[in-house]
Amino acid sequence: MTAASAEATAPTAADLAGRRVRVKVPATSANLGPGFDTLGLALARYDELEVEVVDDGLAIEVEGVGRGEVPLDESHLVVRAIAHTFAHFGLERPPLRLVARNAIPHGRGLGSSGAAIVAGIMAAKGLLEPEIEISPDELLELATELEGHPDNVAPALFGGLTIAWVTPEGPRHKKLMVHRGVSPLVLVPEHEMSTALARSLQPTSVPHEDAVFNVSRSALLVAALIQSPELLLAATEDKLHQRYRAEAMPETDRLIRALRAAGHPAVVSGAGPSILVLASDPSERADAIRLVEESAQTAWQALPLAVDFLGATVQAVDAD
Ligand code: HSE
């Protein structure tokens, strides 16, 4: 993206002084089986962030997930996203105080890095308004520049089910509402999985028939999620990514096979190692949880989560 020419309307340091915003960003599950790097679903579990422009320095406080683990300096992903957004408008990041309250598990395929990026971009949006308005396409483009692919950041920004695609002009998205019968269940293991490792296991090309297989299942999946949940088992089949990554997460692979054999539409959530079950009603979720409790060799946390339909929000907060 080229630097926007917003000098005429950019807020001054005096405008920014004391501005304070509160941001809320949902967890996400990407791919959803066949929709590699394309489909994503926002889930009702949230990272929250408060950002205030202060006189000098950078103070970061982290509560919940990541406390004692994530860096507390310029390299903090939220700070990088704020700086990236300010730089896009030709502005330097102002001195800040951040408080992050995180509930999205890290390294589990639930979009925590996408959520951090979106949180930073939405915080910058809130701080820069009203002088600068950022369009939905610009928000997605800024987020995709940092994340590398749009399938997690699109649902984190806009909520619901999102189809994301990349054009020469930048990434674009279509948001869809999900059928009210769809009851997502996320199963989270104790161990993490690196997205970079998962992506390194992808082949550079795939057989044409596998590509056709995924085209049909992805198209069907959109219909199943918005209109026909009874088709979710057939619609969540995939030949583009899960088989190549299975060796790096054997228990995830084994449990997904067991869940699918029992009729549950289970897929790897994002790059893994969590499992997403797109159940059709709450009782199906209970059956899937029971199956995993009986078959798993390590500890798995079951999170029955609603679909988030709002996406990321930002609101101005009055200074104390
Ligand atoms: N589509 C991405 C992948 C999601 O599977 O690699 C994780 O960022």
Side-chain angles (χ1 to χ4, degrees):
M1 189 187 280
T2 53
S5 55
E7 289 78 5
T9 55
T12 63
D15 290 328
L16 289 170
R19 281 189 187 173
R20 188 169 157 192
V21 293
R22 188 171 294 147
V23 176
K24 191 172 168 184
V25 185
T28 55
S29 185
N31 300 331
L32 311 182
F36 184 69
D37 276 1
T38 302
L39 297 180
L41 190 64
L43 299 168
R45 190 173 178 98
Y46 302 92
D47 281 355
E48 295 180 358
L49 176 73
E50 273 192 32
V51 180
E52 182 180 3
V53 178
V54 293
D55 291 341
D56 64 284
L58 174 65
I60 303 173
E61 203 179 304
V62 175
E63 297 173 11
V65 178
R67 182 180 169 86
E69 294 167 9
V70 298
L72 301 178
D73 58 19
E74 290 287 342
S75 64
H76 189 282
L77 192 48
V78 172
V79 178
R80 282 173 46 208
I82 294 173
H84 184 71
T85 309
F86 271 73
H88 172 68
F89 293 103
L91 300 171
E92 285 204 13
R93 176 186 64 73
L96 296 173
R97 189 178 84 86
L98 268 75
V99 180
R101 299 183 185 90
N102 298 333
I104 305 174
H106 285 181
R108 305 301 207 290
L110 290 170
S112 61
S113 66
I117 289 166
V118 166
I121 292 169
M122 291 298 282
K125 170 179 158 60
L127 294 174
L128 290 167
E129 286 172 350
E131 291 85 358
I132 292 175
E133 299 287 345
I134 310 180
S135 73
D137 278 351
E138 269 182 307
L139 292 172
L140 183 60
E141 188 160 6
L142 287 162
T144 304
E145 283 169 354
L146 291 172
E147 177 75 343
H149 36 89
D151 53 338
N152 280 111
V153 291
L157 278 165
F158 307 115
L161 166 67
T162 53
I163 305 170
W165 67 100
V166 178
T167 77
E169 290 74 44
R172 296 290 182 266
H173 82 286
K174 172 67 185 167
K175 172 181 174 179
L176 297 164
M177 302 311 253
V178 175
H179 189 285
R180 65 173 63 235
V182 175
S183 304
L185 167 68
V186 178
L187 298 153
V188 187
E190 284 177 320
H191 56 281
E192 297 188 10
M193 171 83 193
S194 138
T195 298
L197 170 63
R199 292 186 84 81
S200 75
L201 297 172
Q202 289 292 135
T204 51
S205 62
V206 296
H208 189 266
E209 60 267 34
D210 288 356
V212 172
F213 183 97
N214 270 56
V215 169
S216 66
R217 296 326 187 267
S218 311
L220 185 62
L221 181 54
V222 173
L225 282 170
I226 65 177
Q227 187 179 315
S228 309
E230 72 279 5
L231 292 171
L232 279 167
L233 186 61
T236 46
E237 292 179 306
D238 157 66
K239 290 193 179 182
L240 280 193
H241 63 103
Q242 293 174 128
R243 57 164 64 166
Y244 300 110
R245 296 167 164 185
E247 67 188 59
M249 39 187 148
E251 188 163 39
T252 297
D253 182 50
R254 190 173 61 75
L255 290 173
I256 286 177
R257 286 174 192 279
L259 285 160
R260 294 189 68 85
H264 304 297
V267 296
V268 177
S269 181
S274 295
I275 295 170
L276 171 70
V277 182
L278 289 167
S280 294
D281 62 59
S283 72
E284 185 184 352
R285 293 202 286 213
D287 292 345
I289 291 170
R290 204 171 310 116
L291 187 152
V292 168
E293 281 171 355
E294 286 165 8
S295 330
Q297 288 164 353
T298 60
W300 288 69
Q301 186 187 11
L303 302 176
L305 297 175
V307 176
D308 169 281
F309 289 108
L310 199 54
T313 56
V314 59
Q315 64 183 90
V317 181
D318 291 337
D320 290 333

